mmCIF file of all heavy atoms in Angstrom:
data_model
loop_
_atom_site.group_PDB
_atom_site.id
_atom_site.type_symbol
_atom_site.label_atom_id
_atom_site.label_comp_id
_atom_site.label_asym_id
_atom_site.label_seq_id
_atom_site.Cartn_x
_atom_site.Cartn_y
_atom_site.Cartn_z
ATOM 1 N N THR A 22 -2.418 3.312 -22.005
ATOM 2 C CA THR A 22 -3.500 4.039 -22.673
ATOM 3 C C THR A 22 -4.367 4.809 -21.681
ATOM 4 O O THR A 22 -5.223 5.593 -22.091
ATOM 5 C CB THR A 22 -4.392 3.065 -23.460
ATOM 6 O OG1 THR A 22 -4.874 2.049 -22.577
ATOM 7 C CG2 THR A 22 -3.607 2.411 -24.595
ATOM 8 N N ARG A 23 -4.144 4.606 -20.390
ATOM 9 C CA ARG A 23 -4.976 5.268 -19.379
ATOM 10 C C ARG A 23 -4.567 6.728 -19.225
ATOM 11 O O ARG A 23 -3.398 7.045 -19.039
ATOM 12 C CB ARG A 23 -4.838 4.555 -18.033
ATOM 13 C CG ARG A 23 -5.248 3.108 -18.069
ATOM 14 C CD ARG A 23 -6.276 2.713 -17.106
ATOM 15 N NE ARG A 23 -6.602 3.524 -15.993
ATOM 16 C CZ ARG A 23 -7.493 3.163 -15.070
ATOM 17 N NH1 ARG A 23 -8.114 1.986 -15.176
ATOM 18 N NH2 ARG A 23 -7.791 3.935 -14.070
ATOM 19 N N PRO A 24 -5.529 7.657 -19.266
ATOM 20 C CA PRO A 24 -5.190 9.075 -19.108
ATOM 21 C C PRO A 24 -4.726 9.439 -17.704
ATOM 22 O O PRO A 24 -4.107 10.484 -17.508
ATOM 23 C CB PRO A 24 -6.507 9.787 -19.460
ATOM 24 C CG PRO A 24 -7.577 8.767 -19.189
ATOM 25 C CD PRO A 24 -6.968 7.445 -19.541
ATOM 26 N N ASP A 25 -5.040 8.559 -16.723
ATOM 27 C CA ASP A 25 -4.639 8.845 -15.347
ATOM 28 C C ASP A 25 -3.315 8.178 -14.975
ATOM 29 O O ASP A 25 -2.928 8.162 -13.812
ATOM 30 C CB ASP A 25 -5.724 8.432 -14.358
ATOM 31 C CG ASP A 25 -6.243 7.014 -14.579
ATOM 32 O OD1 ASP A 25 -5.660 6.275 -15.398
ATOM 33 O OD2 ASP A 25 -7.249 6.647 -13.929
ATOM 34 N N MET A 26 -2.587 7.630 -15.957
ATOM 35 C CA MET A 26 -1.272 7.063 -15.670
ATOM 36 C C MET A 26 -0.231 8.168 -15.539
ATOM 37 O O MET A 26 -0.207 9.127 -16.316
ATOM 38 C CB MET A 26 -0.830 6.088 -16.761
ATOM 39 C CG MET A 26 0.349 5.219 -16.319
ATOM 40 S SD MET A 26 1.218 4.393 -17.667
ATOM 41 C CE MET A 26 2.666 5.440 -17.806
ATOM 42 N N LYS A 27 0.600 8.048 -14.535
ATOM 43 C CA LYS A 27 1.691 8.977 -14.285
ATOM 44 C C LYS A 27 3.007 8.207 -14.330
ATOM 45 O O LYS A 27 3.035 6.995 -14.143
ATOM 46 C CB LYS A 27 1.549 9.646 -12.915
ATOM 47 C CG LYS A 27 0.161 10.189 -12.596
ATOM 48 C CD LYS A 27 -0.198 11.350 -13.488
ATOM 49 C CE LYS A 27 -1.597 11.883 -13.151
ATOM 50 N NZ LYS A 27 -2.014 12.986 -14.055
ATOM 51 N N THR A 28 4.084 8.911 -14.546
ATOM 52 C CA THR A 28 5.411 8.314 -14.449
ATOM 53 C C THR A 28 6.146 8.977 -13.300
ATOM 54 O O THR A 28 6.317 10.202 -13.287
ATOM 55 C CB THR A 28 6.211 8.491 -15.749
ATOM 56 O OG1 THR A 28 5.531 7.819 -16.818
ATOM 57 C CG2 THR A 28 7.606 7.882 -15.608
ATOM 58 N N LEU A 29 6.533 8.169 -12.319
ATOM 59 C CA LEU A 29 7.271 8.668 -11.167
ATOM 60 C C LEU A 29 8.738 8.273 -11.311
ATOM 61 O O LEU A 29 9.064 7.312 -12.008
ATOM 62 C CB LEU A 29 6.707 8.079 -9.867
ATOM 63 C CG LEU A 29 5.191 8.148 -9.668
ATOM 64 C CD1 LEU A 29 4.818 7.560 -8.311
ATOM 65 C CD2 LEU A 29 4.677 9.571 -9.806
ATOM 66 N N VAL A 30 9.605 9.014 -10.643
ATOM 67 C CA VAL A 30 11.035 8.726 -10.695
ATOM 68 C C VAL A 30 11.550 8.570 -9.274
ATOM 69 O O VAL A 30 11.323 9.434 -8.417
ATOM 70 C CB VAL A 30 11.807 9.846 -11.422
ATOM 71 C CG1 VAL A 30 13.309 9.513 -11.460
ATOM 72 C CG2 VAL A 30 11.275 10.040 -12.835
ATOM 73 N N THR A 31 12.225 7.454 -9.012
ATOM 74 C CA THR A 31 12.745 7.185 -7.674
ATOM 75 C C THR A 31 14.028 7.976 -7.417
ATOM 76 O O THR A 31 14.580 8.606 -8.323
ATOM 77 C CB THR A 31 13.053 5.682 -7.491
ATOM 78 O OG1 THR A 31 14.240 5.360 -8.245
ATOM 79 C CG2 THR A 31 11.902 4.818 -7.960
ATOM 80 N N SER A 32 14.496 7.889 -6.198
ATOM 81 C CA SER A 32 15.727 8.588 -5.822
ATOM 82 C C SER A 32 16.946 8.041 -6.552
ATOM 83 O O SER A 32 17.992 8.691 -6.605
ATOM 84 C CB SER A 32 15.947 8.495 -4.310
ATOM 85 O OG SER A 32 16.013 7.136 -3.902
ATOM 86 N N ASN A 33 16.828 6.845 -7.137
ATOM 87 C CA ASN A 33 17.908 6.257 -7.936
ATOM 88 C C ASN A 33 17.728 6.494 -9.434
ATOM 89 O O ASN A 33 18.460 5.939 -10.248
ATOM 90 C CB ASN A 33 18.003 4.741 -7.692
ATOM 91 C CG ASN A 33 18.820 4.408 -6.458
ATOM 92 O OD1 ASN A 33 19.153 5.290 -5.668
ATOM 93 N ND2 ASN A 33 19.147 3.135 -6.282
#
Side-chain angles (χ1 to χ4, degrees):
T22 56
R23 300 236 344 183
D25 49 8
M26 195 196 103
K27 313 293 180 183
T28 298
L29 311 182
V30 180
T31 73
S32 58
N33 276 11

